[in-house]
Amino acid sequence: MGEKRTPSGFLLKQRAFLKLYLITLTEQERLYGLKILDLLRQEFKPYGYRPNHSEVYKALHDLIEDGILKQVKQKKEGMKYQEVVYYRFADGGYEKAKLYKRQLKAELDRCAALIRKAIEDNFS
């Protein structure tokens, strides 16, 4: 992951958006994939956004490949054999995550300004 993120040109890509939220959710507590998906869907339902299963898992896998997250398997509570995969920060991953969030903040600020401009120019 480079020191500076290259802007996508228009608005933030869905995968970058999801990765940002996955990092924040990981900072807040240990979660597994389906719980993350449920939380994201619930959080964004009022905005008409419903991330799909495959995009969330692709974003999680990107974060693993980037060395930010790792998978930790644990036995499901009350189950003898069933395991759940939790996501936690990899060694050194939290520092990478903070850098990624700083980069995305700059990109989100740019996107917000672009949207504000469109609203002002077209609806004022």
Side-chain angles (χ1 to χ4, degrees), residues 58-71:
K58 286 176 186 177
L60 282 167
H61 295 154
D62 282 356
L63 290 169
I64 291 168
E65 288 175 18
D66 292 340
I68 293 174
L69 296 183
K70 66 179 178 180
Q71 293 179 329

Side-chain angles (χ1 to χ4, degrees), residues 29-54:
E29 60 186 284
R30 294 184 320 164
L31 297 172
Y32 55 94
L34 288 176
K35 179 68 173 173
I36 291 169
L37 183 62
D38 289 343
L39 281 170
L40 290 171
R41 286 179 174 172
Q42 180 181 355
E43 186 75 22
F44 293 108
K45 186 176 183 176
Y47 305 99
Y49 174 56
R50 188 174 191 272
N52 66 44
H53 180 274
S54 65

Side-chain angles (χ1 to χ4, degrees), residues 33 47 88 94 123:
Y47 305 99
R88 295 189 185 151
Y94 186 60
F123 301 101

